[in-house]
Amino acid sequence: MNKVFLVIQREYLARVKKKSFLLATILTPLIFPTVMGIFLWIAVGEEKGASLRIIEVVDDNNLFFLESRDQYAFSFSKVAIDEGKRQVQSGERFGFLYIPKIQLDSPTGITYFGETNPSMTFIADLESSLKRRIEEQRMMESGIDPKVLDAYRTRVSIQSITLDNSGNEKINDATINYGIGFFTGILIYIFIFVYGNQIMQGVIEEKSSRIIEILVSSIKPFQLMLGKIIGIGAVGLTQFLIWLMLIAGVSSIVIGYFGMQMPQQTAMELASPAMTEMSNMNINNDYSEIIQVIGGINFVKIALTFVFYFIGGYLLYGSFFAAIGAAVDTPSDAQQFMLPVTIPLLIAYLGLFVFVLDDPNSNVSFWLSIVPFTSPIAMMGRASYGVPFFDLALSMSLLIIGFLSTTWFAGKIYKIGILMHGSKVNYKTLWKWIKMD
Amino acid sequence: MNILEVHHLHKAYENHIALQDVSLSIPKGSIFGLLGPNGAGKTTLIRIINQIIDRDSGEIFFNNEKLQSKHIPFIGYLPEERGLYKKMQVWDQLIYFARLKGMPLQEAKTKVNYWLDKLEIQSWREKKIEDLSKGMAQKIQFIATVIHEPELLILDEPFSGFDPVNAELIKNEILELRKKGITIVLSTHRMESIELLCDHIAMIHQSKLILSGGLLEVKRKFRKKIYKVILEPYGDLEVPKEWKSITADNQMIFEVPLQEKSPNVLLNEMIAIGEVQGFSEIIPTMEEIFIQQIKSHSYE
């Protein structure tokens, strides 16, 4: 046991001490905001930099009026179609919209000419503007005042409350549950792949640099494998913990910053109380609801579930990666054995989106969250909505049995594989190794 | 007393038998040569002794106790294929290997310092292996093998891959370790190092033990009872046909078979013929014995 600890220590320190670890740990959480920032920056720059795009509109019905936007302006005229097209070709106009005489109940023949392919949102935008105008016109024709209709429009939102056995009520918001399930599930998926790969690389390194024979003359192969898996897992947990602290730190700074700005906002609101009164009520309602929803979520339970499946899933797949590393001589040879690892992980990943987050209580969701190969990812999708105790207990015990057995199988492959050099290994040979005693 | 005894060891792999009924004893304090062509089963035997792989049947005793995992700290092993962690510093690496063999941290530190001083390489302690030359890495490799002061040191082809300077250094270290009472098993093809270093040998061929014993004993067993005689005849000499003449440097040298006579009788006969300037038995080299043995057993 002492020796396993030595291996854990070495694997851990060898990675944590590296500069690349520090860099990855600090930079990774910044990648997403940075990429978003760059896109926003480019988009804003584009909007500002782009000259106003003028679109010539010829309406033979004299019916339509299109309001100009930030990026588009509409110019109405009675030019001939050919002249309109010419203007687009010569670059005088960005586009040319031709609306022929139309029947209001079946408007056809509306055509847009542009030098470039217009974006889908742009066309959809145009379509909805025209549609609204046509609808209004038809209502007027049948004697309905569109303003009256607007007044009848009503917004409905249903508050969903779960009742548990003891009669406690809990307000739900599927969006927040979805978000938590989505985020934690993806995190486990990524973690398994990234750190599983590190295990595999580590095993291949020891095998190809021939340290392995010296190591196994001091320590049992199984202990060595276990130490490596745990040590690398600890690196991952450390990295994760640092991220949590970074996020907590950054968000407290952000909240602090906006908190400072709050008084100004309230001052402004005070200046025009009548105007803000209504919207304030709305906001307050939304806020209190969100806070109630967040308060209703059992974060401790979700966090504990997350940690369990995070570690359980890693251990289950980690031993697979170790066995693959032991069976091959180079990382490129490892490709042929990756399928049994990637397929169940992909099923879990897709299952999370297609089934679990959509309906956490369906049969498919149940099985995805019970089978150990998919449960670490799929169960997180259910956990955020709340899972019956029985399901959770069954899934967790199966996962424990699952990783104990994959570790046992992997240990057998590992033990023989690490001493095999240059021999061709396929699934048949792996099976033989497992059967050997 | 034997530090290691192997009784009727048997090991089969899926497609071939690696060891068949191999028994041998390694006397404490000896340098024991393990010989055999490639694929004979030497590495399998060594791996079984190191408890890297399991045997199918047979028994192994270490200091008269059944070999078990508690004996791991008493055995040091330099495999034929060897390596170190490239990204790890010399110091960390040596400490790690010492501790894996069960040495407490403080003792490991003392020992690593001792060896770095002894080989005058203290300045390398913070260098990564990938920054060292091959010869330098070989020294570290050797230290890693002996750092935990094993009682039994198993060196598989220790001179292959080492440059001549380091090979000489290893040879001297082996002799020094023997003086300290450490038993050394050398597995090698290089017969000259066997002749130079070993006092006991065992030869494995096609998974079987075909020869074992003390070096001199084995050599005596294979002597051909031929004497090398340097002779200056008194008159014209009619060379008997069973003599082999290898005259060189104006000296007449003959290889004379003993033929049921005692060496003294032969010497007296020679003295009668001429002036005897040299008279010695031709002892076969290990290389000759090795080749002859392999050939004769291959035709069985």
Side-chain angles (χ1 to χ4, degrees):
Chain A
M1 223 38 226
N2 197 15
K3 288 184 180 177
V4 177
F5 181 73
L6 275 173
V7 178
I8 295 173
Q9 195 185 25
R10 194 207 84 85
E11 297 294 335
Y12 183 80
L13 290 178
R15 285 176 176 77
V16 172
K17 271 187 186 168
K18 270 198 246 168
K19 281 193 197 79
S20 56
F21 172 81
L22 197 69
L23 230 60
T25 308
I26 294 174
L27 292 184
T28 310
L30 297 179
I31 287 174
F32 191 65
T34 311
V35 170
M36 286 294 287
I38 291 171
F39 277 140
L40 274 176
W41 183 71
I42 291 172
V44 168
E46 200 174 43
E47 272 178 32
K48 276 186 186 157
S51 54
L52 201 61
R53 292 165 173 170
I54 301 169
I55 291 157
E56 191 73 29
V57 184
V58 172
D59 174 18
D60 289 347
N61 312 284
N62 288 324
L63 183 67
F64 296 99
F65 175 73
L66 295 164
E67 233 174 286
S68 295
R69 323 281 157 82
D70 285 347
Q71 296 168 60
Y72 300 101
F74 297 95
S75 139
F76 292 85
S77 68
K78 289 278 166 210
V79 294
I81 297 176
D82 288 340
E83 170 62 11
K85 284 185 188 167
R86 193 199 58 77
Q87 283 176 345
V88 173
Q89 278 169 331
S90 68
E92 283 169 54
R93 292 289 184 264
F94 180 76
F96 171 53
L97 181 69
Y98 174 62
I99 309 167
K101 202 89 184 130
I102 51 167
Q103 302 250 279
L104 283 179
D105 49 350
S106 62
T108 48
I110 302 174
T111 320
Y112 173 83
F113 302 92
E115 209 173 6
T116 53
N117 211 353
S119 73
M120 253 167 65
T121 45
F122 174 67
I123 292 293
D125 204 21
L126 274 183
E127 280 172 351
S128 80
S129 302
L130 298 178
K131 174 178 160 242
R132 208 177 311 128
R133 187 74 193 95
I134 293 171
E135 280 169 1
E136 272 176 23
Q137 191 61 32
R138 291 183 67 186
M139 279 184 226
M140 302 257 270
E141 276 174 15
S142 35
I144 304 166
D145 185 350
K147 279 184 189 131
V148 174
L149 194 73
D150 273 348
Y152 284 122
R153 287 225 165 89
T154 323
R155 277 187 59 197
V156 179
S157 91
I158 295 178
Q159 200 179 45
S160 144
I161 292 176
T162 20
L163 289 167
D164 64 13
N165 290 338
S166 44
N168 292 327
E169 294 186 4
K170 198 170 85 181
I171 300 178
N172 292 317
D173 187 325
T175 339
I176 291 175
N177 292 331
Y178 188 99
I180 292 173
F182 171 89
F183 183 70
T184 49
I186 300 285
L187 214 59
I188 290 178
Y189 176 79
I190 295 174
F191 185 82
I192 289 174
F193 258 113
V194 169
Y195 288 94
N197 253 308
Q198 287 216 20
I199 297 175
M200 197 176 78
Q201 301 292 347
V203 173
I204 293 176
E205 186 209 341
E206 278 170 358
K207 192 182 167 182
S208 63
S209 67
R210 315 281 175 144
I211 313 165
I212 195 68
E213 200 160 343
I214 298 170
L215 291 174
V216 292
S217 69
S218 316
I219 179 169
K220 289 209 172 73
F222 190 74
Q223 292 177 312
L224 184 65
M225 184 180 92
L226 219 58
K228 193 167 221 51
I229 293 174
I230 297 172
I232 293 175
V235 175
L237 282 178
T238 308
Q239 195 159 49
F240 187 66
L241 217 71
I242 295 174
W243 285 343
L244 268 187
M245 288 193 292
L246 276 180
I247 290 168
V250 169
S251 40
S252 69
I253 290 169
V254 168
I255 288 168
Y257 177 73
F258 284 111
M260 298 261 285
Q261 293 212 322
M262 276 303 233
Q264 274 183 6
Q265 205 185 333
T266 9
M268 261 171 59
E269 281 162 9
L270 280 173
S272 52
M275 247 182 67
T276 45
E277 198 176 347
M278 263 183 49
S279 61
N280 250 354
M281 264 171 63
N282 264 336
I283 290 167
N284 281 344
N285 257 338
D286 281 354
Y287 262 135
S288 62
E289 194 174 304
I290 289 172
I291 285 164
Q292 252 183 299
V293 170
I294 292 175
I297 294 172
N298 191 340
F299 277 104
V300 178
K301 193 175 161 193
I302 289 183
L304 288 178
T305 316
F306 174 70
V307 171
F308 180 85
Y309 282 99
F310 192 76
I311 295 172
Y314 168 77
L315 290 178
L316 182 93
Y317 281 100
S319 47
F320 265 138
F321 280 100
I324 294 171
V328 300
D329 288 335
T330 62
S332 54
D333 292 341
Q335 283 311 318
Q336 54 167 326
F337 295 119
M338 286 303 285
L339 226 57
V341 179
T342 35
I343 294 291
L345 274 174
L346 263 179
I347 290 174
Y349 180 81
L350 292 176
L352 176 71
F353 286 101
V354 179
F355 299 106
V356 182
L357 288 174
D358 187 51
D359 182 359
N361 297 313
S362 69
N363 265 337
V364 182
S365 303
F366 173 79
W367 286 111
L368 282 173
S369 68
I370 294 299
V371 175
F373 290 96
T374 53
S375 68
I377 294 163
M379 184 53 100
M380 287 321 296
R382 293 185 72 195
S384 63
Y385 290 94
V387 191
F389 174 75
F390 171 76
D391 290 16
L392 198 61
L394 177 66
S395 162
M396 282 183 164
S397 8
L398 281 179
L399 182 58
I400 293 173
I401 294 170
F403 78 66
L404 288 179
S405 39
T406 57
T407 312
W408 185 78
F409 275 116
K412 298 204 129 202
I413 295 177
Y414 182 86
K415 192 173 119 186
I416 298 171
I418 44 172
L419 293 172
M420 291 275 177
H421 287 283
S423 53
K424 244 192 147 28
V425 178
N426 51 35
Y427 285 112
K428 225 171 112 187
T429 22
L430 291 189
W431 181 239
K432 270 182 198 152
W433 293 355
I434 290 175
K435 281 194 298 182
M436 273 184 208
D437 47 19
Chain B
M1 191 199 155
N2 294 324
I3 189 164
L4 196 84
E5 282 183 25
V6 175
H7 297 303
H8 309 292
L9 197 63
H10 196 92
K11 172 78 185 176
Y13 292 117
E14 195 192 335
N15 300 319
H16 73 285
I17 294 167
L19 293 173
Q20 270 186 75
D21 196 28
V22 170
S23 301
L24 49 87
S25 311
I26 299 176
K28 209 178 180 86
S30 66
I31 298 184
F32 191 94
L34 191 58
L35 319 180
N38 283 326
K42 284 175 296 171
T43 302
T44 301
L45 174 62
I46 290 173
R47 282 180 176 174
I48 290 173
I49 295 171
N50 274 299
Q51 303 177 53
I52 292 173
I53 52 178
D54 299 327
R55 54 185 181 266
D56 291 345
S57 64
E59 305 242 44
I60 301 175
F61 294 92
F62 185 86
N63 278 335
N64 293 330
E65 285 180 323
K66 269 194 178 178
L67 185 73
Q68 49 195 290
S69 56
K70 72 166 186 188
H71 293 125
I72 283 176
F74 303 108
I75 302 176
Y77 175 39
L78 181 71
E80 184 176 3
E81 302 277 7
R82 45 199 169 235
L84 297 161
Y85 287 108
K86 291 190 184 65
K87 305 247 178 229
M88 220 171 160
Q89 291 179 359
V90 168
W91 173 267
D92 292 343
Q93 189 132 224
L94 290 174
I95 296 282
Y96 181 58
F97 282 123
R99 296 201 65 201
L100 271 187
K101 281 285 188 184
M103 204 176 227
L105 180 62
Q106 279 313 317
E107 205 184 332
K109 283 181 177 171
T110 319
K111 281 295 152 200
V112 173
N113 266 324
Y114 164 80
W115 278 100
L116 293 181
D117 284 335
K118 186 176 159 73
L119 300 182
E120 296 170 350
I121 51 175
Q122 272 290 357
S123 58
W124 300 357
R125 55 190 288 156
E126 266 154 40
K127 281 206 167 98
K128 286 182 185 165
I129 296 299
E130 60 184 356
D131 299 329
L132 298 181
S133 73
K134 213 178 164 202
M136 290 156 95
Q138 287 168 351
K139 283 187 187 172
I140 306 298
Q141 188 90 61
F142 183 75
I143 299 176
T145 312
V146 296
I147 189 73
H148 59 290
E149 303 198 314
E151 287 181 28
L152 176 66
L153 190 59
I154 301 174
L155 308 173
D156 197 352
E157 292 295 346
F159 304 109
S160 82
F162 279 69
D163 59 51
V165 179
N166 278 323
E168 184 66 20
L169 184 124
I170 302 293
K171 197 190 89 190
N172 292 334
E173 288 300 335
I174 289 172
L175 291 171
E176 203 171 310
L177 288 167
R178 200 253 300 258
K179 268 185 210 155
K180 288 184 188 164
I182 293 172
T183 312
I184 293 147
V185 174
L186 275 185
S187 160
T188 181
H189 300 114
R190 285 173 50 158
M191 294 304 150
E192 71 273 18
S193 44
I194 296 282
E195 304 247 14
L196 211 63
L197 294 169
C198 297
D199 34 37
H200 285 75
I201 62 144
M203 196 182 288
I204 295 178
H205 180 50
Q206 290 174 344
S207 76
K208 287 181 208 141
L209 185 82
I210 55 171
L211 189 64
S212 73
L215 186 74
L216 284 176
E217 184 193 325
V218 168
K219 284 191 154 192
R220 287 216 182 94
K221 194 172 151 197
F222 286 92
R223 71 216 227 169
K224 289 176 239 158
K225 297 191 174 171
I226 295 173
Y227 277 72
K228 180 174 148 188
V229 184
I230 304 172
L231 191 69
E232 203 166 309
Y234 296 130
D236 278 344
L237 176 69
E238 196 186 316
V239 182
K241 62 175 182 295
E242 61 268 22
W243 292 19
K244 199 173 152 199
S245 168
I246 41 167
T247 304
D249 295 336
N250 292 326
Q251 277 184 314
M252 298 186 88
I253 303 172
F254 302 100
E255 288 181 2
V256 184
L258 207 53
Q259 286 177 331
E260 312 307 322
K261 298 169 207 158
S262 82
N264 279 3
V265 172
L266 180 68
L267 181 59
N268 275 330
E269 283 181 17
M270 292 294 152
I271 290 169
I273 299 168
E275 190 180 295
V276 178
Q277 293 168 341
F279 186 84
S280 61
E281 188 180 0
I282 297 174
I283 296 168
T285 63
M286 269 321 291
E287 183 135 12
E288 284 165 344
I289 296 172
F290 181 78
I291 292 168
Q292 185 239 318
Q293 280 294 301
I294 299 301
K295 274 185 181 162
S296 68
H297 281 85
S298 295
Y299 293 120
E300 272 177 9

